[in-house]
Amino acid sequence: MAKFIVPKEIYHGLGSLENVKELKGKKAVIVIGGSSVKKNGSLQRTRDLLKEVNIESVVFEGVEADPSIATVLTGAQFFTQEQPDVIIGLGGCSAIDAAKAMWVYYEYPDSKLEELAQPFAVKPLRNKAIFVAIPTTSGTGTEITGLAVITDTEKGTKYPIVSHELTPDVAIVDGKLCKSMPAHVTANTGLDALSHAVEAYVSNIADRYNDALAKHATDLIFKYLPTAVNEPENEEARQSMHDASSMAGMAFTNVWLGIVHSMSHQLGGTFGIPHGCANAILMPNVIRFNSQVTDKYNELAALFGKTNAEELAQEIAVLRSKVGTISTIKEYGIDEKGWAEKIDLLAENALKDPCTLFNPRKPKLEEIKAIYQACYEGLKVNF
Ligand SMILES: NC(=O)c1ccc[n+]([C@@H]2O[C@H](COP(=O)([O-])OP(=O)(O)OC[C@H]3O[C@@H](n4cnc5c(N)ncnc54)[C@H](O)[C@@H]3O)[C@@H](O)[C@H]2O)c1
Ligand SMILES: [Zn+2]
């Protein structure tokens, strides 16, 4: 038996931002990051549409990349002052995740971040407001997932808050909003979506509902990511990537991820390697490692007329270079001494990461280290 949880309403397709008019409420707070949603007109369009249905709107702006708890608390105070019954996260995942956490603090002002990061810690939401997610990057799938990642900058720790309470009520997946996304953000976020699809597909709790979504998302990303990177105005590619990111999000919010994410979280936290870029470096070798215990990669390889896991690993390496991201950890500018000092701790922390629990093959510490080392140097693992 299993349960499948996604937002109640998902509007998708080019121009689907218009469905803001379907929202019900009196007052909305729109949470945004920097200036991109002002420049591409999506903030003004959202406010105009809200006005058409008599929903007043105010804006909380200035959410930084990798949002901090300080920003979340400032936003929650703003919510308390404004008393919205609709919260809209509009922008990249950073803006949407910050809005999710502000929502928790708005409803439960005495919350503590370390406690929220514990399993099942988020209390029932929707007492004061509903949550609407309108993403402008195609990667994390936060418009679908019961997840928000918040950083305590003083402690230097990223806290994932995991709860289906955080699953948005409404997601609006409009590829037009992504046309202004720079090529490197498109590439990194798209590779992140690919890693969600591939890891969810082989999760040790995978089921056929999530398999269908993960497999189709994989297919869409291989077909459309290079075009989205090279032709930013191509609406078909933008919508396909946006759909793929949401579909991969549906799969992974239900069946979780594996050691690509466990290992990538450490590379992001320690060296600042962008998440999707780190995932794409790790994926081929993790596929080689896991393929000793699962045949499911062969089904993904069949999407391009290939038959086995090694061919899938190679296709990912080709895609990675087509979209212009690096292929080894070393290329990020990490010298051998700095790497040798950190690899033991990286491996220990990766082993403890919650995503490791859902990997199809249970790794040993030495195996994680060997995968890291091979990915540092650009070698293939073989065990
Ligand atoms: N909630 C989840 O499910 C989940 C999963 C994985 C990672 N995360 C978190 O997500 C965050 C990263 O989110 P992200 O990858 O979406 O990046 P982001 O939100 O940090 O945005 C990256 C940059 O792109 C800009 N940008 C976004 N959309 C744009 C557009 N359409 N046009 C022009 N510029 C645009 C932003 O202003 C920002 O400068 C991290 O904090 C990470 O830890 C969350
Ligand atoms: Zn990810």
Side-chain angles (χ1 to χ4, degrees):
M1 289 192 291
K3 189 170 173 181
F4 182 74
I5 301 177
V6 291
K8 194 167 160 212
E9 291 170 19
I10 303 171
Y11 296 101
H12 52 93
L14 292 166
S16 54
L17 183 64
E18 293 296 308
N19 292 291
V20 162
K21 287 198 290 192
E22 301 299 322
L23 298 176
K24 306 267 180 295
K26 293 192 177 70
K27 185 171 189 178
V29 172
I30 307 173
V31 177
I32 65 168
S35 55
S36 68
V37 293
K38 288 185 186 166
K39 281 195 204 134
N40 74 13
S42 55
L43 175 63
Q44 193 54 49
R45 185 76 195 125
T46 302
R47 299 193 75 181
D48 291 346
L49 290 163
L50 288 167
K51 199 169 174 193
E52 277 186 46
V53 291
N54 297 317
I55 302 178
E56 190 190 338
S57 67
V58 286
V59 178
F60 180 87
E61 65 180 278
V63 175
E64 68 278 45
D66 296 325
S68 67
I69 185 63
T71 301
V72 169
L73 295 175
T74 310
Q77 271 172 8
F78 182 73
F79 286 13
T80 304
Q81 176 192 315
E82 299 294 338
Q83 293 290 309
D85 54 0
V86 178
I87 296 163
I88 301 180
L90 169 67
C93 180
S94 294
I96 297 175
D97 277 12
K100 284 180 174 177
M102 289 169 193
W103 182 32
V104 174
Y105 279 84
Y106 174 45
E107 302 227 356
Y108 298 99
D110 296 330
S111 300
K112 301 268 175 299
L113 183 57
E114 305 89 88
E115 288 167 19
L116 292 175
Q118 301 302 314
F120 311 111
V122 179
K123 297 193 193 110
L125 296 171
R126 301 164 176 78
N127 306 305
K128 294 185 179 173
I130 60 154
F131 193 91
V132 181
I134 311 179
T136 63
T137 54
S138 310
T140 69
T142 188
E143 68 279 10
I144 304 294
T145 65
L147 174 62
V149 184
I150 303 299
T151 301
D152 184 329
T153 28
E154 278 174 20
K155 291 192 183 139
T157 311
K158 266 191 169 188
Y159 288 97
I161 311 176
V162 182
S163 166
H164 285 301
E165 283 298 324
L166 291 177
T167 304
D169 297 283
V170 180
I172 299 182
V173 186
D174 183 348
K176 276 186 195 262
L177 309 186
C178 301
K179 292 200 288 185
S180 53
M181 206 189 338
H184 71 283
V185 180
T186 306
N188 286 335
T189 54
L191 290 169
D192 186 23
L194 177 66
S195 66
H196 297 157
V198 173
E199 291 223 280
Y201 196 71
V202 297
S203 153
N204 57 23
I205 57 165
D207 62 40
R208 51 178 62 139
Y209 288 64
N210 299 291
D211 279 1
L213 292 157
K215 191 192 239 181
H216 195 44
T218 305
D219 194 26
L220 287 171
I221 295 165
F222 270 99
K223 284 198 176 113
Y224 288 102
L225 181 57
T227 313
V229 170
N230 295 318
E231 299 171 31
E233 295 288 326
N234 185 315
E235 293 193 337
E236 187 190 352
R238 288 300 194 184
Q239 187 62 46
S240 301
M241 281 306 303
H242 226 25
D243 289 337
S245 166
S246 287
M247 289 157 71
M250 287 179 211
F252 99 75
T253 196
N254 286 290
V255 298
W256 287 95
L257 301 163
I259 59 170
V260 168
H261 273 78
S262 309
M263 296 176 71
S264 160
H265 291 152
Q266 317 314 320
L267 293 176
T270 308
F271 300 113
I273 305 182
H275 179 62
C277 169
N279 293 353
I281 294 171
L282 294 162
M283 246 187 296
N285 274 333
V286 171
I287 289 172
R288 292 180 184 114
F289 174 72
N290 286 342
S291 65
Q292 305 300 317
V293 301
T294 175
D295 291 333
K296 283 187 87 182
Y297 293 117
N298 304 352
E299 297 161 18
L300 296 182
L303 292 169
F304 354 86
K306 301 282 168 64
T307 54
N308 62 50
E310 180 54 35
E311 288 168 316
L312 175 67
Q314 286 174 16
E315 287 290 334
I316 290 173
V318 170
L319 179 68
R320 198 174 57 193
S321 56
K322 261 191 205 164
V323 301
T325 64
I326 53 175
S327 54
T328 67
I329 297 170
K330 196 179 199 170
E331 280 174 77
Y332 196 67
I334 300 159
D335 64 31
E336 299 204 2
K337 185 165 170 285
W339 175 248
E341 279 167 10
K342 288 282 183 336
I343 187 170
D344 286 339
L345 187 62
L346 295 177
E348 280 162 30
N349 288 340
L351 203 61
K352 284 188 251 166
D353 189 285
C355 293
T356 303
L357 294 171
F358 302 94
N359 197 63
R361 181 172 175 188
K362 195 170 185 305
K364 298 190 182 77
L365 183 66
E366 287 309 311
E367 291 167 337
I368 297 264
K369 255 181 86 171
I371 297 171
Y372 266 137
Q373 189 59 33
C375 293
Y376 178 78
E377 296 179 60
L379 303 172
K380 283 186 192 176
V381 291
N382 182 18
F383 55 98

